[in-house]
PDB file of all heavy atoms in Angstrom:
ATOM      1  N   ILE A  96      87.700  99.849 108.258  1.00 98.00           N
ATOM      2  CA  ILE A  96      88.547 101.002 107.926  1.00 98.00           C
ATOM      3  C   ILE A  96      88.435 101.343 106.439  1.00 98.00           C
ATOM      4  O   ILE A  96      88.422 102.518 106.069  1.00 98.00           O
ATOM      5  CB  ILE A  96      89.992 100.763 108.394  1.00 98.00           C
ATOM      6  CG1 ILE A  96      90.006 100.825 109.923  1.00 98.00           C
ATOM      7  CG2 ILE A  96      90.961 101.766 107.792  1.00 98.00           C
ATOM      8  CD1 ILE A  96      91.324 100.521 110.564  1.00 98.00           C
ATOM      9  N   TYR A  97      88.330 100.329 105.579  1.00 98.00           N
ATOM     10  CA  TYR A  97      88.077 100.584 104.151  1.00 98.00           C
ATOM     11  C   TYR A  97      86.747 101.320 103.985  1.00 98.00           C
ATOM     12  O   TYR A  97      86.635 102.257 103.207  1.00 98.00           O
ATOM     13  CB  TYR A  97      88.018  99.267 103.377  1.00 98.00           C
ATOM     14  CG  TYR A  97      89.288  98.856 102.686  1.00 98.00           C
ATOM     15  CD1 TYR A  97      90.369  98.343 103.391  1.00 98.00           C
ATOM     16  CD2 TYR A  97      89.410  98.943 101.304  1.00 98.00           C
ATOM     17  CE1 TYR A  97      91.524  97.934 102.744  1.00 98.00           C
ATOM     18  CE2 TYR A  97      90.551  98.542 100.641  1.00 98.00           C
ATOM     19  CZ  TYR A  97      91.600  98.038 101.374  1.00 98.00           C
ATOM     20  OH  TYR A  97      92.740  97.642 100.723  1.00 98.00           O
ATOM     21  N   TRP A  98      85.720 100.851 104.707  1.00 98.00           N
ATOM     22  CA  TRP A  98      84.411 101.499 104.615  1.00 98.00           C
ATOM     23  C   TRP A  98      84.520 102.960 105.043  1.00 98.00           C
ATOM     24  O   TRP A  98      83.995 103.847 104.381  1.00 98.00           O
ATOM     25  CB  TRP A  98      83.387 100.767 105.490  1.00 98.00           C
ATOM     26  CG  TRP A  98      82.073 101.489 105.511  1.00 98.00           C
ATOM     27  CD1 TRP A  98      81.058 101.385 104.616  1.00 98.00           C
ATOM     28  CD2 TRP A  98      81.676 102.484 106.460  1.00 98.00           C
ATOM     29  NE1 TRP A  98      80.042 102.247 104.953  1.00 98.00           N
ATOM     30  CE2 TRP A  98      80.401 102.942 106.083  1.00 98.00           C
ATOM     31  CE3 TRP A  98      82.272 103.035 107.593  1.00 98.00           C
ATOM     32  CZ2 TRP A  98      79.716 103.918 106.794  1.00 98.00           C
ATOM     33  CZ3 TRP A  98      81.593 104.006 108.296  1.00 98.00           C
ATOM     34  CH2 TRP A  98      80.316 104.431 107.894  1.00 98.00           C
ATOM     35  N   PHE A  99      85.222 103.195 106.161  1.00 98.00           N
ATOM     36  CA  PHE A  99      85.377 104.562 106.649  1.00 98.00           C
ATOM     37  C   PHE A  99      86.153 105.410 105.645  1.00 98.00           C
ATOM     38  O   PHE A  99      85.800 106.568 105.399  1.00 98.00           O
ATOM     39  CB  PHE A  99      86.088 104.561 108.003  1.00 98.00           C
ATOM     40  CG  PHE A  99      86.250 105.940 108.591  1.00 98.00           C
ATOM     41  CD1 PHE A  99      85.163 106.612 109.124  1.00 98.00           C
ATOM     42  CD2 PHE A  99      87.483 106.575 108.584  1.00 98.00           C
ATOM     43  CE1 PHE A  99      85.302 107.889 109.659  1.00 98.00           C
ATOM     44  CE2 PHE A  99      87.634 107.837 109.110  1.00 98.00           C
ATOM     45  CZ  PHE A  99      86.542 108.505 109.648  1.00 98.00           C
ATOM     46  N   ASP A 100      87.191 104.854 105.041  1.00 97.00           N
ATOM     47  CA  ASP A 100      87.974 105.592 104.054  1.00 97.00           C
ATOM     48  C   ASP A 100      87.116 105.946 102.838  1.00 97.00           C
ATOM     49  O   ASP A 100      87.192 107.056 102.323  1.00 97.00           O
ATOM     50  CB  ASP A 100      89.198 104.781 103.634  1.00 97.00           C
ATOM     51  CG  ASP A 100      90.122 105.575 102.733  1.00 97.00           C
ATOM     52  OD1 ASP A 100      90.533 106.689 103.133  1.00 97.00           O
ATOM     53  OD2 ASP A 100      90.435 105.093 101.626  1.00 97.00           O
ATOM     54  N   LYS A 101      86.288 105.020 102.393  1.00 97.00           N
ATOM     55  CA  LYS A 101      85.402 105.307 101.269  1.00 97.00           C
ATOM     56  C   LYS A 101      84.397 106.393 101.652  1.00 97.00           C
ATOM     57  O   LYS A 101      84.136 107.314 100.870  1.00 97.00           O
ATOM     58  CB  LYS A 101      84.666 104.054 100.818  1.00 97.00           C
ATOM     59  CG  LYS A 101      83.639 104.383  99.737  1.00 97.00           C
ATOM     60  CD  LYS A 101      83.436 103.331  98.757  1.00 97.00           C
ATOM     61  CE  LYS A 101      82.464 103.854  97.698  1.00 97.00           C
ATOM     62  NZ  LYS A 101      82.496 103.098  96.507  1.00 97.00           N
ATOM     63  N   PHE A 102      83.847 106.295 102.847  1.00 97.00           N
ATOM     64  CA  PHE A 102      82.907 107.314 103.323  1.00 97.00           C
ATOM     65  C   PHE A 102      83.586 108.681 103.347  1.00 97.00           C
ATOM     66  O   PHE A 102      83.013 109.680 102.889  1.00 97.00           O
ATOM     67  CB  PHE A 102      82.398 106.944 104.719  1.00 97.00           C
ATOM     68  CG  PHE A 102      81.525 107.988 105.338  1.00 97.00           C
ATOM     69  CD1 PHE A 102      80.200 108.104 104.958  1.00 97.00           C
ATOM     70  CD2 PHE A 102      82.024 108.851 106.301  1.00 97.00           C
ATOM     71  CE1 PHE A 102      79.389 109.079 105.527  1.00 97.00           C
ATOM     72  CE2 PHE A 102      81.221 109.824 106.876  1.00 97.00           C
ATOM     73  CZ  PHE A 102      79.889 109.945 106.490  1.00 97.00           C
ATOM     74  N   GLN A 103      84.793 108.747 103.876  1.00 97.00           N
ATOM     75  CA  GLN A 103      85.543 109.996 103.926  1.00 97.00           C
ATOM     76  C   GLN A 103      85.824 110.524 102.518  1.00 97.00           C
ATOM     77  O   GLN A 103      85.765 111.732 102.285  1.00 97.00           O
ATOM     78  CB  GLN A 103      86.850 109.821 104.692  1.00 97.00           C
ATOM     79  CG  GLN A 103      86.666 109.628 106.189  1.00 97.00           C
ATOM     80  CD  GLN A 103      86.084 110.856 106.869  1.00 97.00           C
ATOM     81  OE1 GLN A 103      84.870 111.005 106.975  1.00 97.00           O
ATOM     82  NE2 GLN A 103      86.949 111.738 107.311  1.00 97.00           N
ATOM     83  N   ALA A 104      86.132 109.632 101.589  1.00 95.00           N
ATOM     84  CA  ALA A 104      86.385 110.050 100.206  1.00 95.00           C
ATOM     85  C   ALA A 104      85.133 110.677  99.598  1.00 95.00           C
ATOM     86  O   ALA A 104      85.207 111.704  98.905  1.00 95.00           O
ATOM     87  CB  ALA A 104      86.845 108.860  99.367  1.00 95.00           C
ATOM     88  N   GLN A 105      83.970 110.094  99.875  1.00 96.00           N
ATOM     89  CA  GLN A 105      82.715 110.626  99.338  1.00 96.00           C
ATOM     90  C   GLN A 105      82.350 111.969  99.964  1.00 96.00           C
ATOM     91  O   GLN A 105      81.686 112.792  99.337  1.00 96.00           O
ATOM     92  CB  GLN A 105      81.587 109.624  99.564  1.00 96.00           C
ATOM     93  CG  GLN A 105      81.736 108.371  98.742  1.00 96.00           C
ATOM     94  CD  GLN A 105      80.764 107.286  99.150  1.00 96.00           C
ATOM     95  OE1 GLN A 105      80.280 107.234 100.288  1.00 96.00           O
ATOM     96  NE2 GLN A 105      80.480 106.386  98.219  1.00 96.00           N
ATOM     97  N   GLN A 106      82.791 112.188 101.208  1.00 96.00           N
ATOM     98  CA  GLN A 106      82.481 113.425 101.925  1.00 96.00           C
ATOM     99  C   GLN A 106      83.599 114.464 101.805  1.00 96.00           C
ATOM    100  O   GLN A 106      83.518 115.509 102.452  1.00 96.00           O
ATOM    101  CB  GLN A 106      82.241 113.119 103.410  1.00 96.00           C
ATOM    102  CG  GLN A 106      81.159 112.103 103.678  1.00 96.00           C
ATOM    103  CD  GLN A 106      79.803 112.555 103.167  1.00 96.00           C
ATOM    104  OE1 GLN A 106      79.415 113.701 103.341  1.00 96.00           O
ATOM    105  NE2 GLN A 106      79.081 111.665 102.511  1.00 96.00           N
ATOM    106  N   ASN A 107      84.634 114.138 101.025  1.00 96.00           N
ATOM    107  CA  ASN A 107      85.825 114.993 100.924  1.00 96.00           C
ATOM    108  C   ASN A 107      86.456 115.228 102.292  1.00 96.00           C
ATOM    109  O   ASN A 107      86.944 116.310 102.590  1.00 96.00           O
ATOM    110  CB  ASN A 107      85.513 116.327 100.236  1.00 96.00           C
ATOM    111  CG  ASN A 107      85.192 116.149  98.779  1.00 96.00           C
ATOM    112  OD1 ASN A 107      85.807 115.326  98.105  1.00 96.00           O
ATOM    113  ND2 ASN A 107      84.217 116.888  98.285  1.00 96.00           N
ATOM    114  N   GLY A 108      86.426 114.206 103.118  1.00 96.00           N
ATOM    115  CA  GLY A 108      86.987 114.284 104.458  1.00 96.00           C
ATOM    116  C   GLY A 108      88.412 113.776 104.511  1.00 96.00           C
ATOM    117  O   GLY A 108      89.030 113.460 103.490  1.00 96.00           O
ATOM    118  N   ARG A 109      88.923 113.698 105.712  1.00 96.00           N
ATOM    119  CA  ARG A 109      90.289 113.226 105.938  1.00 96.00           C
ATOM    120  C   ARG A 109      90.358 111.720 105.693  1.00 96.00           C
ATOM    121  O   ARG A 109      89.623 110.947 106.305  1.00 96.00           O
ATOM    122  CB  ARG A 109      90.720 113.559 107.358  1.00 96.00           C
ATOM    123  CG  ARG A 109      92.160 113.264 107.628  1.00 96.00           C
ATOM    124  CD  ARG A 109      92.503 113.684 109.035  1.00 96.00           C
ATOM    125  NE  ARG A 109      93.857 113.324 109.327  1.00 96.00           N
ATOM    126  CZ  ARG A 109      94.835 114.200 109.518  1.00 96.00           C
ATOM    127  NH1 ARG A 109      94.578 115.482 109.470  1.00 96.00           N
ATOM    128  NH2 ARG A 109      96.045 113.789 109.776  1.00 96.00           N
ATOM    129  N   ARG A 110      91.261 111.300 104.808  1.00 96.00           N
ATOM    130  CA  ARG A 110      91.370 109.909 104.380  1.00 96.00           C
ATOM    131  C   ARG A 110      92.329 109.120 105.260  1.00 96.00           C
ATOM    132  O   ARG A 110      93.174 109.675 105.949  1.00 96.00           O
ATOM    133  CB  ARG A 110      91.878 109.843 102.937  1.00 96.00           C
ATOM    134  CG  ARG A 110      91.044 110.614 101.916  1.00 96.00           C
ATOM    135  CD  ARG A 110      89.748 109.924 101.571  1.00 96.00           C
ATOM    136  NE  ARG A 110      89.958 108.586 101.048  1.00 96.00           N
ATOM    137  CZ  ARG A 110      90.248 108.300  99.787  1.00 96.00           C
ATOM    138  NH1 ARG A 110      90.352 109.266  98.894  1.00 96.00           N
ATOM    139  NH2 ARG A 110      90.426 107.047  99.412  1.00 96.00           N
ATOM    140  N   ILE A 111      92.191 107.811 105.218  1.00 97.00           N
ATOM    141  CA  ILE A 111      93.111 106.903 105.886  1.00 97.00           C
ATOM    142  C   ILE A 111      94.341 106.769 104.978  1.00 97.00           C
ATOM    143  O   ILE A 111      94.188 106.497 103.787  1.00 97.00           O
ATOM    144  CB  ILE A 111      92.473 105.508 106.089  1.00 97.00           C
ATOM    145  CG1 ILE A 111      91.149 105.608 106.848  1.00 97.00           C
ATOM    146  CG2 ILE A 111      93.443 104.553 106.757  1.00 97.00           C
ATOM    147  CD1 ILE A 111      91.257 106.100 108.257  1.00 97.00           C
ATOM    148  N   PRO A 112      95.548 106.947 105.507  1.00 97.00           N
ATOM    149  CA  PRO A 112      96.740 106.798 104.660  1.00 97.00           C
ATOM    150  C   PRO A 112      96.834 105.385 104.078  1.00 97.00           C
ATOM    151  O   PRO A 112      96.532 104.396 104.764  1.00 97.00           O
ATOM    152  CB  PRO A 112      97.907 107.064 105.612  1.00 97.00           C
ATOM    153  CG  PRO A 112      97.309 107.818 106.759  1.00 97.00           C
ATOM    154  CD  PRO A 112      95.890 107.354 106.867  1.00 97.00           C
ATOM    155  N   GLU A 113      97.255 105.302 102.817  1.00 97.00           N
ATOM    156  CA  GLU A 113      97.393 103.994 102.177  1.00 97.00           C
ATOM    157  C   GLU A 113      98.380 103.113 102.936  1.00 97.00           C
ATOM    158  O   GLU A 113      98.200 101.900 102.992  1.00 97.00           O
ATOM    159  CB  GLU A 113      97.810 104.154 100.718  1.00 97.00           C
ATOM    160  CG  GLU A 113      96.674 104.644  99.844  1.00 97.00           C
ATOM    161  CD  GLU A 113      97.007 104.666  98.370  1.00 97.00           C
ATOM    162  OE1 GLU A 113      98.165 104.353  97.983  1.00 97.00           O
ATOM    163  OE2 GLU A 113      96.105 105.003  97.589  1.00 97.00           O
ATOM    164  N   ALA A 114      99.400 103.702 103.527  1.00 97.00           N
ATOM    165  CA  ALA A 114     100.369 102.917 104.297  1.00 97.00           C
ATOM    166  C   ALA A 114      99.687 102.210 105.464  1.00 97.00           C
ATOM    167  O   ALA A 114     100.045 101.068 105.792  1.00 97.00           O
ATOM    168  CB  ALA A 114     101.500 103.814 104.803  1.00 97.00           C
ATOM    169  N   THR A 115      98.700 102.835 106.072  1.00 98.00           N
ATOM    170  CA  THR A 115      97.951 102.210 107.173  1.00 98.00           C
ATOM    171  C   THR A 115      97.146 101.022 106.653  1.00 98.00           C
ATOM    172  O   THR A 115      97.123  99.954 107.279  1.00 98.00           O
ATOM    173  CB  THR A 115      97.014 103.234 107.838  1.00 98.00           C
ATOM    174  OG1 THR A 115      97.790 104.325 108.325  1.00 98.00           O
ATOM    175  CG2 THR A 115      96.221 102.619 108.976  1.00 98.00           C
ATOM    176  N   LEU A 116      96.501 101.211 105.506  1.00 98.00           N
ATOM    177  CA  LEU A 116      95.735 100.113 104.915  1.00 98.00           C
ATOM    178  C   LEU A 116      96.657  98.940 104.583  1.00 98.00           C
ATOM    179  O   LEU A 116      96.332  97.779 104.875  1.00 98.00           O
ATOM    180  CB  LEU A 116      95.004 100.595 103.655  1.00 98.00           C
ATOM    181  CG  LEU A 116      93.951 101.686 103.858  1.00 98.00           C
ATOM    182  CD1 LEU A 116      93.411 102.152 102.513  1.00 98.00           C
ATOM    183  CD2 LEU A 116      92.833 101.210 104.754  1.00 98.00           C
ATOM    184  N   HIS A 117      97.818  99.238 103.995  1.00 98.00           N
ATOM    185  CA  HIS A 117      98.751  98.167 103.639  1.00 98.00           C
ATOM    186  C   HIS A 117      99.311  97.474 104.877  1.00 98.00           C
ATOM    187  O   HIS A 117      99.528  96.255 104.863  1.00 98.00           O
ATOM    188  CB  HIS A 117      99.879  98.709 102.766  1.00 98.00           C
ATOM    189  CG  HIS A 117      99.423  99.098 101.388  1.00 98.00           C
ATOM    190  ND1 HIS A 117      98.630  98.296 100.599  1.00 98.00           N
ATOM    191  CD2 HIS A 117      99.651 100.219 100.660  1.00 98.00           C
ATOM    192  CE1 HIS A 117      98.393  98.904  99.453  1.00 98.00           C
ATOM    193  NE2 HIS A 117      98.994 100.069  99.469  1.00 98.00           N
ATOM    194  N   LEU A 118      99.531  98.198 105.936  1.00 98.00           N
ATOM    195  CA  LEU A 118     100.013  97.574 107.180  1.00 98.00           C
ATOM    196  C   LEU A 118      98.982  96.580 107.704  1.00 98.00           C
ATOM    197  O   LEU A 118      99.318  95.446 108.070  1.00 98.00           O
ATOM    198  CB  LEU A 118     100.319  98.640 108.234  1.00 98.00           C
ATOM    199  CG  LEU A 118     100.747  98.103 109.602  1.00 98.00           C
ATOM    200  CD1 LEU A 118     102.068  97.333 109.490  1.00 98.00           C
ATOM    201  CD2 LEU A 118     100.877  99.248 110.600  1.00 98.00           C
ATOM    202  N   LEU A 119      97.724  96.992 107.728  1.00 98.00           N
ATOM    203  CA  LEU A 119      96.658  96.089 108.182  1.00 98.00           C
ATOM    204  C   LEU A 119      96.550  94.860 107.291  1.00 98.00           C
ATOM    205  O   LEU A 119      96.352  93.744 107.779  1.00 98.00           O
ATOM    206  CB  LEU A 119      95.325  96.831 108.225  1.00 98.00           C
ATOM    207  CG  LEU A 119      95.175  97.858 109.338  1.00 98.00           C
ATOM    208  CD1 LEU A 119      93.961  98.733 109.099  1.00 98.00           C
ATOM    209  CD2 LEU A 119      95.088  97.165 110.682  1.00 98.00           C
ATOM    210  N   GLU A 120      96.707  95.052 105.979  1.00 98.00           N
ATOM    211  CA  GLU A 120      96.666  93.928 105.043  1.00 98.00           C
ATOM    212  C   GLU A 120      97.810  92.953 105.323  1.00 98.00           C
ATOM    213  O   GLU A 120      97.602  91.739 105.391  1.00 98.00           O
ATOM    214  CB  GLU A 120      96.766  94.442 103.606  1.00 98.00           C
ATOM    215  CG  GLU A 120      95.604  95.297 103.177  1.00 98.00           C
ATOM    216  CD  GLU A 120      95.926  96.254 102.042  1.00 98.00           C
ATOM    217  OE1 GLU A 120      97.056  96.229 101.499  1.00 98.00           O
ATOM    218  OE2 GLU A 120      95.027  97.041 101.694  1.00 98.00           O
ATOM    219  N   ALA A 121      99.015  93.491 105.493  1.00 97.00           N
ATOM    220  CA  ALA A 121     100.197  92.652 105.715  1.00 97.00           C
ATOM    221  C   ALA A 121     100.124  91.913 107.043  1.00 97.00           C
ATOM    222  O   ALA A 121     100.633  90.796 107.160  1.00 97.00           O
ATOM    223  CB  ALA A 121     101.466  93.501 105.650  1.00 97.00           C
ATOM    224  N   LEU A 122      99.481  92.505 108.036  1.00 97.00           N
ATOM    225  CA  LEU A 122      99.363  91.865 109.346  1.00 97.00           C
ATOM    226  C   LEU A 122      98.319  90.745 109.382  1.00 97.00           C
ATOM    227  O   LEU A 122      98.260  89.994 110.342  1.00 97.00           O
ATOM    228  CB  LEU A 122      99.040  92.910 110.417  1.00 97.00           C
ATOM    229  CG  LEU A 122     100.161  93.886 110.750  1.00 97.00           C
ATOM    230  CD1 LEU A 122      99.661  94.950 111.719  1.00 97.00           C
ATOM    231  CD2 LEU A 122     101.362  93.156 111.322  1.00 97.00           C
ATOM    232  N   GLY A 123      97.504  90.654 108.344  1.00 97.00           N
ATOM    233  CA  GLY A 123      96.509  89.589 108.294  1.00 97.00           C
ATOM    234  C   GLY A 123      95.108  90.050 107.957  1.00 97.00           C
ATOM    235  O   GLY A 123      94.189  89.228 107.875  1.00 97.00           O
ATOM    236  N   GLY A 124      94.904  91.326 107.740  1.00 98.00           N
ATOM    237  CA  GLY A 124      93.579  91.836 107.406  1.00 98.00           C
ATOM    238  C   GLY A 124      93.265  91.812 105.923  1.00 98.00           C
ATOM    239  O   GLY A 124      92.233  92.320 105.494  1.00 98.00           O
ATOM    240  N   TRP A 125      94.149  91.181 105.134  1.00 98.00           N
ATOM    241  CA  TRP A 125      93.931  91.179 103.682  1.00 98.00           C
ATOM    242  C   TRP A 125      92.627  90.520 103.241  1.00 98.00           C
ATOM    243  O   TRP A 125      92.031  90.983 102.258  1.00 98.00           O
ATOM    244  CB  TRP A 125      95.135  90.593 102.940  1.00 98.00           C
ATOM    245  CG  TRP A 125      95.389  89.139 103.157  1.00 98.00           C
ATOM    246  CD1 TRP A 125      96.245  88.579 104.053  1.00 98.00           C
ATOM    247  CD2 TRP A 125      94.768  88.061 102.455  1.00 98.00           C
ATOM    248  NE1 TRP A 125      96.201  87.214 103.951  1.00 98.00           N
ATOM    249  CE2 TRP A 125      95.299  86.867 102.972  1.00 98.00           C
ATOM    250  CE3 TRP A 125      93.819  87.979 101.434  1.00 98.00           C
ATOM    251  CZ2 TRP A 125      94.922  85.618 102.522  1.00 98.00           C
ATOM    252  CZ3 TRP A 125      93.430  86.735 100.984  1.00 98.00           C
ATOM    253  CH2 TRP A 125      93.990  85.567 101.527  1.00 98.00           C
ATOM    254  N   PRO A 126      92.126  89.465 103.920  1.00 97.00           N
ATOM    255  CA  PRO A 126      90.831  88.935 103.449  1.00 97.00           C
ATOM    256  C   PRO A 126      89.707  89.979 103.572  1.00 97.00           C
ATOM    257  O   PRO A 126      88.886  90.126 102.664  1.00 97.00           O
ATOM    258  CB  PRO A 126      90.568  87.729 104.365  1.00 97.00           C
ATOM    259  CG  PRO A 126      91.942  87.280 104.786  1.00 97.00           C
ATOM    260  CD  PRO A 126      92.699  88.577 104.959  1.00 97.00           C
ATOM    261  N   GLY A 127      89.702  90.720 104.667  1.00 97.00           N
ATOM    262  CA  GLY A 127      88.707  91.782 104.827  1.00 97.00           C
ATOM    263  C   GLY A 127      88.899  92.887 103.814  1.00 97.00           C
ATOM    264  O   GLY A 127      87.933  93.455 103.294  1.00 97.00           O
ATOM    265  N   ALA A 128      90.150  93.194 103.501  1.00 97.00           N
ATOM    266  CA  ALA A 128      90.451  94.218 102.490  1.00 97.00           C
ATOM    267  C   ALA A 128      89.977  93.765 101.120  1.00 97.00           C
ATOM    268  O   ALA A 128      89.414  94.551 100.359  1.00 97.00           O
ATOM    269  CB  ALA A 128      91.947  94.511 102.474  1.00 97.00           C
TER     270      ALA A 128
END
């Protein structure tokens, strides 16, 4: 999802909300983040 968000940022596309990223981090995805 970080990769997709970066790709979207480079393409000026629709971004992943930061709240979604933080939720995934808090649930246990922080090592991947």
Side-chain angles (χ1 to χ4, degrees):
I96 289 176
Y97 263 75
W98 175 85
F99 182 73
D100 187 54
K101 174 147 184 162
F102 175 79
Q103 289 295 89
Q105 292 170 335
Q106 304 299 316
N107 291 322
R109 187 177 176 112
R110 304 285 302 277
I111 304 295
E113 286 186 357
T115 301
L116 297 175
H117 290 313
L118 176 63
L119 288 167
E120 296 156 4
L122 290 174
W125 67 264

